[in-house]
Amino acid sequence: MVSTSANRSGEESPRCVQDIPLPIREKVDLIVDEGRCKYGVESTIIDVSAGDAKLVRKGALSWEEIAQILG
């Protein structure tokens, strides 16, 4: 399971591992730490389960930027 964010609903999104509330950190098996988030907004979520990419939630990148990456 992969999470799009590590905060409870309504709370500020963490920008680094140390910002993730300890109770959440203690309940996961692995945290991939890529350093401080440079965008400070929630993750973009893309659904590709049906074959075509569908934007579920807009994040820092525009749909045009994502479409270029996906080809």
Side-chain angles (χ1 to χ4, degrees), residues 38-59:
K38 64 182 176 180
Y39 297 110
V41 297
E42 284 68 26
S43 308
T44 300
I45 301 175
I46 302 169
D47 180 356
V48 293
S49 62
D52 292 328
K54 175 183 167 188
L55 183 65
V56 176
R57 182 175 75 187
K58 185 183 180 311

Side-chain angles (χ1 to χ4, degrees), residues 16 23-24 26 28 31 33-34 38-39 42 49 55 69-70:
C16 65
I24 293 175
E26 291 177 334
V28 300
I31 296 175
D33 186 356
E34 287 290 320
K38 64 182 176 180
Y39 297 110
E42 284 68 26
S49 62
L55 183 65
I69 293 167
L70 295 175

